[in-house]
Amino acid sequence: MNGQIIKVISNLYTVKVGEMLYGCRARGKFRKDNITPIVGDNVVIDSDNNIINEILPRKNELDRPVIANVDMAFIVTSTKKPNLDLNLLDKLISVITFNNIEPVICFTKLDLLNEVELEIISNLRKYYEMIGIRVVYSTETNIIKKIIKGKIVVLAGQTGAGKSSLLNKLDDKLNIKTDEISEALGRGKHTTRHVELYSISDGYVADTPGFSALDLKNMDKEDLKNTFIEFANYECKFRDCIHNKEKECGVKDALKDKMILQSRYNNYLLFLEELEK
């Protein structure tokens, strides 16, 4: 029988086949072949013995969170408590784009902002939308439901950004545990312990353990440059320009003319340095 893994806890895989759920173990050969089934995998199971016999080819996969066959990733981004982290936001956009997954930015906790802070977020939204990335506020639940319809969607973002709270807004029957923000640390406590796909709006949404660290493994400088999609709008003298120390660089000229967001370019240079190390 063909099904899809919707939850993994320890070595027990919950596989959905139609409307039926099976708690399965993976065949020993996967361990020998150094293959691990993950949430989102399409699999063939032996329903009599509750064994996963085969993992079908993946169209993509992420390491953090560990999930496969994703159509879209909502980058759940707190604007306050924890404070806005544009470095993490841009790194997530790069990793998600590199994996051929559509990024969608979802800003949360706007009710905690004053007028000046709200204007900053509004301007950020305009910029990201201008370069072709969808942006929503967590309060726009009807819009979010339309976006995720029929998709496999992953929620990614730092601990305490409001991923589980967003899921509860989309479907109050889920009642996923949330926790308060640590005032001393300025970030959330981990409430999600595993990756699980939830059926919402004729699609699947994954709640994932929060994280605040992310590497750029498997990328080279050219890959990184290509994930900053707005850079492609500007011509440079040299085709292999990395937009760093080269002269006659269209991206750096656009930065001077304030056509490129300064924080985006600063983060790009930091990621470039990370790759060089």
Side-chain angles (χ1 to χ4, degrees):
M1 298 172 97
N2 285 25
Q4 186 170 45
I5 298 174
I6 64 166
K7 180 166 67 174
V8 178
I9 297 180
S10 190
N11 293 318
L12 183 66
Y13 302 87
T14 302
V15 179
K16 188 172 184 181
V17 180
E19 295 303 313
M20 297 291 291
L21 297 177
Y22 296 86
C24 296
R25 303 285 179 184
R27 284 186 64 183
K29 75 163 192 169
F30 294 133
R31 192 180 299 112
K32 192 166 66 175
D33 295 339
N34 202 26
I35 299 170
T36 304
I38 61 178
V39 167
D41 270 335
N42 295 305
V43 295
V44 179
I45 67 167
D46 173 352
S47 57
D48 293 328
N49 297 299
N50 286 18
I51 297 291
I52 296 174
N53 280 332
E54 183 182 353
I55 301 170
L56 300 177
R58 296 166 181 162
K59 72 176 182 180
N60 56 45
E61 64 180 285
L62 292 173
D63 288 335
R64 298 188 66 178
V66 181
I67 190 168
N69 300 316
V70 178
D71 298 307
M72 187 178 285
F74 270 64
I75 305 171
V76 182
T77 304
S78 173
T79 57
K80 207 166 200 176
K81 293 189 176 183
N83 291 333
L84 178 65
D85 188 340
L86 292 178
N87 182 279
L88 178 60
L89 171 60
D90 286 334
K91 188 173 276 193
L92 279 165
I93 289 171
S94 287
V95 170
I96 289 160
T97 303
F98 176 67
N99 283 280
N100 298 314
I101 298 167
E102 181 188 353
V104 178
I105 299 168
C106 179
F107 286 119
T108 65
K109 307 186 184 181
L110 280 85
D111 58 310
L112 301 180
L113 304 183
N114 59 38
E115 285 188 18
V116 174
E117 292 165 333
L118 279 170
E119 187 175 357
I120 291 169
I121 297 301
S122 176
N123 289 334
L124 281 172
R125 178 174 188 165
K126 287 173 186 173
Y127 179 82
Y128 283 106
E129 288 179 333
M130 180 192 73
I131 66 173
I133 296 174
R134 278 199 263 199
V135 183
V136 294
Y137 296 149
S138 59
T139 51
E140 298 173 325
T141 50
N142 288 335
I143 294 172
I144 294 170
K145 285 177 182 179
K146 286 178 183 177
I147 292 172
I148 67 179
K149 188 172 183 178
K151 308 284 188 186
I152 292 183
V153 178
V154 63
L155 304 185
Q158 69 193 116
T159 307
K163 298 187 298 297
S164 298
S165 296
L166 177 62
L167 272 175
N168 287 336
K169 282 181 186 174
L170 294 173
D171 187 346
D172 57 12
K173 293 189 291 294
L174 291 174
N175 196 27
I176 298 166
K177 184 178 183 294
T178 60
D179 214 333
E180 72 278 4
I181 302 301
S182 166
E183 293 292 342
L185 297 175
R187 56 183 169 83
K189 301 174 183 178
H190 289 276
T191 54
T192 305
R193 303 297 179 184
H194 60 275
V195 181
E196 180 171 354
L197 289 176
Y198 295 98
S199 180
I200 296 175
S201 191
D202 296 323
Y204 282 115
V205 181
D207 190 21
T208 64
F211 58 90
S212 56
L214 194 71
D215 63 38
L216 299 165
K217 75 175 190 177
N218 302 323
M219 273 196 222
D220 59 27
K221 293 179 184 178
E222 192 71 19
D223 293 326
L224 176 66
K225 180 178 77 172
N226 291 337
T227 66
F228 280 74
I229 52 179
E230 65 267 48
F231 291 1
N233 296 327
Y234 307 100
E235 286 189 20
C236 302
K237 182 177 180 180
F238 305 104
R239 287 186 62 189
D240 60 350
C241 184
I242 299 296
H243 317 310
N244 183 9
K245 299 172 183 176
E246 299 89 345
K247 294 180 180 179
E248 298 185 54
C249 170
V251 167
K252 286 192 284 186
D253 289 340
L255 184 69
K256 288 176 190 172
D257 295 336
K258 298 187 177 179
M259 300 296 290
I260 291 176
L261 196 64
Q262 185 69 53
S263 62
R264 284 277 287 169
Y265 184 72
N266 292 348
N267 287 332
Y268 169 73
L269 293 183
L270 288 172
F271 303 158
L272 203 58
E273 186 180 339
E274 186 178 322
L275 286 181
E276 287 171 348
K277 287 178 181 177

